[in-house]
Amino acid sequence: MIEMQDVMKKYPNGTTAIRNLTVSIGQGEFVYVVGPSGAGKSTFIKLMYREEKATKGILKIADYDLIKIKNREVSNLRREVGVVFQDYKLLPKKTVYENVAYAMQVIGKKPREVKKRVMEVLDMVGLKHKVRVFPSELSGGEQQRVSIARAIVNTPKVLIADEPTGNLDPENSWEIMKLLERVNAQGTTIVMATHNSTIVNTIRHRVIAIENGRIIRDQAEGEYGYDD
Ligand code: ADP
């Protein structure tokens, strides 16, 4: 599902954030990406949804060659790769319904199909009763659930999450994890960067540890492995 070979990312200011990184992630896997601050986790993740372009190497996700695709094809890639952020990134002037529906409308789905699917995913995240509410009227946990609904509404093959529980208390963090587990159980590959050692050590999955732009550990059902 995700193939990286000798991938390198050098930012315009000269910082090399990812060095000769090779990794393969199969369909349906759940992978935690861990490592100290500044290690390259966010860059690794940004390369996967083409927020950043690799400087060198081979990078393939689903049927897309991320080195070769043109900028105008990136919206097609984003149908296959949903993204969830630490700070939710919901559109503040749109309701819960509109935030989720928008992701389908921009790719030209028919209104009837949009309505059915949006209600389906909002039901899945337990927020069907909040369709008319604005993001500012929701708790952090609820906002993250909306952002997950938005990320999965087009049934992507891969869901990328950059610190999805970073702004949440433990109770809401577990709720988000339960939801990601359900998404994964439906066959979606999940790649999640996290600093949450309790989650990583409790809900065991493959752990990829990055330090200094390189993978220094890749363990099935691994541990968090840091003190922070
Ligand atoms: P992490 O997510 O593990 O904290 P990042 O991927 O954000 O790590 O950063 C890896 C390295 O790349 C750091 O040295 C950081 O300062 C640098 N970096 C990240 N983003 C940029 C950018 N847009 N321009 C230049 N350097 C960057």
Side-chain angles (χ1 to χ4, degrees), residues 28-208:
E29 278 199 69
F30 194 129
V31 180
Y32 293 119
V33 180
V34 306
S37 206
K41 303 180 297 296
S42 290
T43 304
F44 177 67
I45 276 200
K46 283 176 181 166
L47 291 172
M48 291 185 197
Y49 63 96
R50 206 16 166 72
E51 175 72 18
E52 293 291 348
K53 216 172 162 176
T55 314
K56 223 173 69 183
I58 298 171
L59 209 179
K60 291 179 180 162
I61 295 194
D63 295 324
Y64 292 89
D65 183 331
L66 272 68
I67 307 292
K68 292 199 181 126
I69 58 167
K70 306 272 183 296
N71 288 337
R72 62 184 154 79
E73 291 170 288
V74 170
S75 58
N76 293 335
L77 168 76
R78 302 263 168 91
R79 295 183 200 189
E80 302 291 359
V81 183
V83 192
V84 171
F85 304 95
Q86 176 171 1
D87 58 356
Y88 329 126
K89 297 201 193 302
L90 299 172
L91 299 167
K93 289 184 178 144
K94 289 188 188 288
T95 63
V96 165
Y97 180 89
E98 289 163 350
N99 263 281
V100 180
Y102 187 67
M104 291 185 82
Q105 288 157 350
V106 291
I107 62 167
K109 295 288 181 191
K110 295 194 182 74
R112 194 145 41 98
E113 199 185 339
V114 172
K115 191 169 178 197
K116 182 167 175 281
R117 177 65 182 154
V118 172
M119 293 316 288
E120 197 174 277
V121 288
L122 284 175
D123 191 26
M124 182 182 170
V125 303
L127 288 174
K128 220 172 157 181
H129 58 297
K130 298 269 186 182
V131 282
R132 291 188 187 82
V133 160
F134 289 90
S136 59
E137 301 170 275
L138 297 174
S139 72
E142 288 171 333
Q143 289 187 59
Q144 194 57 298
R145 277 146 63 192
V146 175
S147 102
I148 292 172
R150 175 181 62 182
I152 63 169
V153 75
N154 291 319
T155 56
K157 292 197 176 77
V158 180
L159 181 66
I160 308 281
D162 197 354
E163 301 268 7
T165 64
N167 287 351
L168 301 175
D169 60 25
E171 196 182 326
N172 278 302
S173 297
W174 289 116
E175 285 300 316
I176 293 304
M177 287 312 296
K178 261 200 264 174
L179 202 48
L180 293 179
E181 288 288 307
R182 281 173 64 196
V183 172
N184 180 236
Q186 293 176 354
T188 307
T189 307
I190 300 196
V191 181
M192 170 176 158
T194 186
H195 278 120
N196 194 316
S197 55
T198 312
I199 285 175
V200 174
N201 292 336
T202 307
I203 307 176
R204 290 295 179 109
H205 290 296
R206 179 176 173 185
V207 173
I208 292 178

